[in-house]
Amino acid sequence: MQRPLDSLWASRAARLALRLFAPAIWLSGRLTFSRKYLLIGIVVLLAMASLSMPLWQQARQARETADTERAGLRAFAAQAEVLAQMVQLRDQAVRGTTLTSLPQVTQALTPLAPPPLATPDGPWAQLHNRWQQVQQLDSSATPQRRFAVLNGAINAMLGVVQSSARVYRLNVDPELDATFELLTSRLPLVLDTLGKQQDALTLNTGDMASYALGAQVVLTESMPGLKAGVAQLMAHHPTASAVPTPLEALLVGIVAQQDAADKTLDNPDALDELRQLAHNNQQRARELLQALTHTADAHLLERITRLKHTQWTIAALLVGALAAIAYLFVGIYLSTLHSLRSLSKGTDAFCAGRLDTRIQIDTQDELVLVARNFNTVAGEFGRLLDVIREQNESRERELETQVQARTAELAEKNEQLRAVGDRVQEELNLARAMQLAILPQQFPDEASWAVHAIMFPARELGGDFYDGFMLPDGRYGILVADVSGKGVGAAFFMAVSRTVLLDLAMTGQPPHQVLAQANDLLCERNPMDLFVTACYGIFDPRDGSLSYASAGHHPPLLRQAHGEVQVLPSVHDLALAVFPDMRYLDQHITLAPGDTLVLYTDGVTEAFSPANEAYGDARLHHWLVQAQPEQGPAALVAALVRDVEQFVNGAEASDDLTCLILCRK
């Protein structure tokens, strides 16, 4: 019954194939071999052209975009030069000297704006209106009035620069977006701010203090952006050796100007030093601007050259592919024609009675005429093949029966193993849920302090744990610990260790006594010879004091309000459950408002990337410096976990990850 059914399906498949390919078969039956190959060549040509044109268009569009960006760079260079002249003009106005460069700036403003900016209410119109106010200034205007009017014109000029960058699409460049943002936004703003700071301090009035303070903030916040923009350019154009030197000189000059500005606030006589530093820094900024503009233009020129080469390469590949296909088609056609003629002659001779005729073909084509010759000879071997086929089918049936029996047996064993595995996994998941449930999930968030913690086991069950609890006298206990090993054994010992430490901690004893008593108890209840590293502290919310002791654990980290991170002193006492009668030492500090305390296990610093690189203490310290404590400990914990996950990038966890963060607001 099986073979007729197979034949039925085979016949249905054949009929379906014939119906599906009927148009192609009909067309092939009415074309000679030469026309068939010609038709295939035309189809291949159209396919290659349709595939190549999008690549060609993409390269052309990218080239046009790069040309537009180069035009934007040229426009920006002219605008930046006018901006620098405006800053110098504002300095002359504040010091009460004659505005000698006013006509030159007026003349230079006219050709700067591209047509999209020259709208009635656009940035260019705003600059024009502001500049008319500057031209209307007379000698009776106060220095403050001159400062305000020129400062408005400079701000309008900064708007023209940024709008021009958007028109020329400098802000969306796929490779140099940060560099162009530095050129068209940050660096012009720094150039303006360098002059604005000295001008505001020159006026030395109460209403100018906000300008001076704002200048300090702008300069400080701009320094990372300057470095990032230059770093991006150097990454794509590493031969630009002329860029880092003016950048370093400008950064050093900005720091010196900030110091001189602070000195000027207390000693107005130091204004000359500030003015000289501001002048030098403006010159450095212009040098950096010119170097960046030149390097970025060179990079864009290289990109245009590469795109041109890409276009020519696509064209050359298309032409070469077409030539190769044509050559192969002609060769295949001639070879096929020769083979067909040889087969036809040999078949005619064999059918004419010359049974000793043998056909020799130099190629290895699968031709239909070969089957005709094979069938003529195959009749003599039919009976022998039938016998062999019957023997093979009998052997196949026997083997199939044995395979089915073994398959059924293996399936039964696999089902039993799967059931056992599912039951074990279910119990492990339940144990994991219970383990996480015994750890605190709710944490205090008071007006002056807050705390949060989290634990991620490396396997279904982990050995890390944390705790946070209020003591009877109003103080708050914090605990982070790490049991050696992983899996079920570490999880059970973790439960025992947490119970012992929590019971002792609730008595209110100092941390060193809690650890010493817990060590003695755990030494008596340690059949598996495990050990526990722990750091236990008591925080007093009333005055911010913290006393803590460590049993072989990582020392806590303290981030002060101004961002400095320090490793708190910690005696390297022995871990718990190793030797009885051990003594531990308390440490005492006071958390100031804005300080952040971090307790963690080695699952943080010993998290490994796919390249087998450890997260490490240095990366943890860097993250803590960049952290934002005002977001609260819960957000900090989540941010640290995300940073570790991004670093690990899907690699298998090497250890449980636990951290606890306490913030004094």
Side-chain angles (χ1 to χ4, degrees):
M1 294 296 295
Q2 181 68 26
R3 185 159 300 281
L5 184 60
D6 292 342
S7 301
L8 177 62
W9 280 108
S11 62
R12 289 182 178 179
R15 288 196 299 270
L16 180 60
L18 289 174
R19 185 177 302 174
L20 178 63
F21 292 100
I25 295 174
W26 177 86
L27 180 62
S28 176
R30 283 155 180 79
L31 295 176
T32 62
F33 264 92
S34 59
R35 294 183 178 179
K36 291 177 183 178
Y37 280 102
L38 179 60
L39 177 61
I40 295 174
I42 293 175
V43 172
V44 171
L45 173 63
L46 293 176
M48 294 189 63
S50 62
L51 293 175
S52 301
M53 285 307 297
L55 297 177
W56 177 277
Q57 292 292 339
Q58 183 179 4
R60 184 181 62 83
Q61 292 174 0
R63 177 181 169 186
E64 291 175 355
T65 300
D67 287 332
T68 301
E69 291 177 355
R70 289 195 70 199
L73 279 179
R74 291 191 294 271
F76 166 73
Q79 293 167 358
E81 183 62 28
V82 174
L83 176 64
Q85 295 178 9
M86 285 185 174
V87 172
Q88 294 178 358
L89 195 63
R90 182 179 58 192
D91 179 58
Q92 296 175 3
V94 169
R95 287 189 293 166
T97 60
T98 303
L99 304 182
T100 57
S101 59
L102 183 61
Q104 291 83 348
V105 177
T106 303
Q107 183 178 2
L109 281 175
T110 304
L112 291 186
L117 298 182
T119 57
D121 55 348
W124 180 246
Q126 297 178 13
L127 175 60
H128 179 72
N129 295 334
R130 292 287 187 178
W131 193 248
Q132 285 183 341
Q133 297 178 10
V134 174
Q135 292 176 315
Q136 293 172 2
L137 288 174
D138 53 21
S139 58
S140 62
T142 64
Q144 289 82 358
R145 170 63 180 169
R146 293 184 173 190
F147 174 85
V149 172
L150 278 163
N151 198 51
I154 291 174
N155 290 336
M157 187 64 200
L158 290 174
V160 168
V161 172
Q162 295 182 7
S163 299
S164 178
R166 290 191 294 271
V167 169
Y168 288 106
R169 301 182 60 81
L170 295 178
N171 57 331
V172 293
D173 186 273
E175 295 180 350
L176 301 180
D177 54 341
T179 301
F180 287 141
E181 195 272 342
L182 160 65
L183 269 175
T184 60
S185 180
R186 292 189 180 274
L187 200 53
L189 183 60
V190 168
L191 183 63
D192 169 44
T193 306
L194 291 171
K196 184 187 295 183
Q197 186 180 56
Q198 68 152 351
D199 295 339
L201 292 174
T202 300
L203 295 175
N204 194 22
T205 60
D207 56 349
M208 292 292 109
S210 61
Y211 282 102
L213 180 59
Q216 288 191 341
V217 174
V218 170
L219 291 177
T220 302
E221 293 180 347
S222 297
M223 295 174 72
L226 295 177
K227 295 178 181 178
V230 171
Q232 185 189 62
L233 179 60
M234 294 299 296
H236 292 286
H237 203 82
T239 59
S241 58
V243 175
T245 300
L247 172 64
E248 292 297 329
L250 177 60
L251 295 178
V252 173
I254 288 176
V255 173
Q257 182 169 337
Q258 297 285 57
D259 295 338
D262 293 336
K263 188 188 304 182
T264 305
L265 292 173
D266 299 327
N267 182 17
D269 295 335
L271 186 61
D272 291 337
E273 178 186 355
L274 173 63
R275 181 174 290 109
Q276 182 60 39
L277 286 172
H279 174 75
N280 293 340
N281 287 336
Q282 291 174 19
Q283 184 61 31
R284 295 187 184 107
R286 295 175 68 178
E287 293 175 358
L288 177 59
L289 187 147
Q290 294 172 358
L292 285 171
T293 303
H294 177 74
T295 304
D297 183 75
H299 179 74
L300 291 176
L301 184 59
E302 290 180 1
R303 185 191 300 175
I304 291 172
T305 303
R306 290 196 303 271
L307 292 172
K308 290 180 180 178
H309 290 166
T310 300
Q311 289 180 291
W312 284 110
T313 301
I314 293 173
L317 289 176
L318 180 60
V319 173
L322 292 177
I325 292 173
Y327 180 82
L328 290 175
F329 270 36
V330 172
I332 293 172
Y333 171 72
L334 295 177
S335 174
T336 304
L337 185 61
H338 175 72
S339 299
L340 287 174
R341 289 176 178 174
S342 299
L343 287 171
S344 179
K345 291 180 181 179
T347 302
D348 292 341
F350 188 87
C351 294
R354 296 197 296 270
L355 299 181
D356 58 339
T357 302
R358 297 293 181 266
I359 301 174
Q360 294 182 353
I361 301 177
D362 296 332
T363 62
Q364 297 181 0
D365 301 34
E366 295 87 4
L367 298 174
V368 177
L369 295 178
V370 175
R372 183 183 303 170
N373 293 335
F374 177 80
N375 290 334
T376 304
V377 180
E380 299 297 329
F381 300 94
R383 292 186 300 274
L384 178 60
L385 292 178
D386 290 338
V387 173
I388 295 174
R389 186 181 299 108
E390 181 62 28
Q391 293 177 349
N392 289 338
E393 289 177 355
S394 176
R395 182 59 179 166
E396 287 178 359
R397 287 193 294 270
E398 181 182 354
L399 290 175
E400 184 177 0
T401 302
Q402 296 178 0
V403 169
Q404 290 177 352
R406 297 294 183 269
T407 302
E409 182 179 352
L410 289 175
E412 182 179 358
K413 299 297 183 182
N414 289 336
E415 185 63 28
Q416 294 175 359
L417 290 176
R418 187 180 299 107
V420 172
D422 292 343
R423 185 167 61 253
V424 172
Q425 186 63 42
E426 181 179 357
E427 293 176 355
L428 287 175
N429 292 337
L430 179 60
R432 173 191 176 98
M434 294 179 61
Q435 183 185 36
L436 295 177
I438 66 175
L439 300 178
Q441 305 300 320
Q442 302 295 328
F443 302 92
D445 188 359
E446 304 296 337
S448 61
W449 65 285
V451 67
H452 196 83
I454 199 169
M455 190 273 282
F456 285 103
R459 298 179 181 174
E460 286 81 359
L461 299 176
D464 285 8
F465 64 93
Y466 64 84
D467 216 329
F469 43 85
M470 295 298 301
L471 297 176
D473 57 359
R475 296 180 298 167
Y476 189 77
I478 55 176
L479 172 66
V480 170
D482 184 2
V483 177
S484 61
K486 305 179 189 66
V488 177
F492 277 107
F493 198 61
M494 165 265 193
V496 173
S497 303
R498 178 180 178 273
T499 302
V500 170
L501 286 167
L502 184 60
D503 289 344
L504 293 172
M506 293 304 295
T507 63
Q509 300 181 77
H512 73 279
Q513 294 183 8
V514 171
L515 294 182
Q517 296 177 21
N519 176 65
D520 294 337
L521 292 174
L522 292 176
C523 286
E524 299 173 359
R525 307 174 187 180
N526 190 10
M528 300 177 65
D529 292 330
L530 300 175
F531 63 87
V532 186
T533 67
C535 182
Y536 170 56
I538 300 177
F539 173 68
D540 193 340
R542 292 166 293 190
D543 57 3
S545 61
L546 174 71
S547 59
Y548 64 93
S550 175
H553 201 76
H554 293 282
L557 301 180
L558 177 64
R559 184 193 188 278
Q560 298 178 349
H562 55 77
E564 181 180 354
V565 175
Q566 67 180 88
V567 181
L568 295 181
S570 179
V571 178
H572 296 287
D573 290 329
L574 196 63
L576 305 179
V578 179
F579 295 112
D581 300 326
M582 296 298 298
R583 296 295 177 266
Y584 299 90
L585 181 65
D586 280 350
Q587 304 286 343
H588 303 275
I589 64 167
T590 298
L591 300 182
D595 286 356
T596 300
L597 180 71
V598 179
L599 304 181
Y600 62 97
T601 64
D602 52 11
V604 176
T605 54
E606 294 181 7
F608 290 91
S609 68
N612 203 30
E613 178 186 2
Y615 187 81
D617 294 327
R619 190 173 277 102
L620 176 60
H621 291 185
H622 176 73
W623 171 86
L624 190 54
V625 170
Q626 303 296 326
Q628 300 178 358
E630 64 273 7
Q631 295 180 354
L636 291 179
V637 168
L640 177 56
V641 172
R642 284 196 305 271
D643 194 62
V644 174
E645 288 179 346
Q646 292 174 0
F647 174 79
V648 171
N649 193 21
E652 182 179 1
S654 60
D655 203 350
D656 305 333
L657 187 152
T658 303
C659 65
L660 182 146
I661 297 181
L662 186 148
C663 297
R664 190 174 183 200
K665 302 179 181 177

